[in-house]
Amino acid sequence: EIGSHTLSHPDLSKITLDKAKKEITESKSKLETIIGQNVISFCYPSGKYNQNVENIVKNDGYKFATTTKSGLTDFSNPFELTRYRIDSTTNISGFIK
């Protein structure tokens, strides 16, 4: 699965709504052209978003979005999914916890 992450990785909570819409919409469109499939997931750059940004993501046809909030998600809000970050220092026992 390939998800969208904007065109230029801005702080979506600090740019105008027009710029945020362009970043979100055009990223999705470009990826869909490249891969020939619908892009349904989005990840907020650096976890920065607000309700207006979340609404743009919802209205642009994404099915879910991930945040940088850590934890097991319950899918109660598919546009604010939590996750566990994995990096080069994460070992299997750390991941299982």
Side-chain angles (χ1 to χ4, degrees):
E1 187 246 332
I2 296 176
S4 177
H5 197 51
T6 69
L7 294 170
S8 65
H9 208 267
D11 179 339
L12 293 171
S13 68
K14 292 186 178 178
I15 61 176
T16 67
L17 289 179
D18 286 339
K19 286 182 183 178
K21 178 150 180 60
K22 178 179 178 167
E23 287 280 340
I24 294 164
T25 301
E26 288 186 20
S27 174
K28 183 178 193 297
S29 176
K30 286 183 180 197
L31 283 174
E32 289 176 340
T33 298
I34 292 167
I35 66 173
Q37 295 183 30
N38 289 336
V39 172
I40 62 169
S41 66
F42 185 80
C43 181
Y44 304 106
S46 301
K48 307 289 185 180
Y49 69 101
N50 56 34
Q51 189 60 55
N52 290 328
V53 169
E54 186 177 319
N55 289 339
I56 292 169
V57 172
K58 286 178 188 177
N59 293 332
D60 206 33
Y62 292 97
K63 302 293 183 200
F64 59 94
T66 59
T67 69
T68 55
K69 297 173 189 170
S70 184
L72 186 62
T73 197
D74 64 5
F75 294 92
S76 61
N77 181 347
F79 294 93
E80 292 184 359
L81 298 179
T82 56
R83 61 187 176 153
Y84 291 108
R85 294 183 76 116
I86 306 296
D87 62 28
S88 62
T89 64
T90 306
N91 59 35
I92 192 67
S93 62
F95 179 70
I96 291 171
K97 289 180 186 179

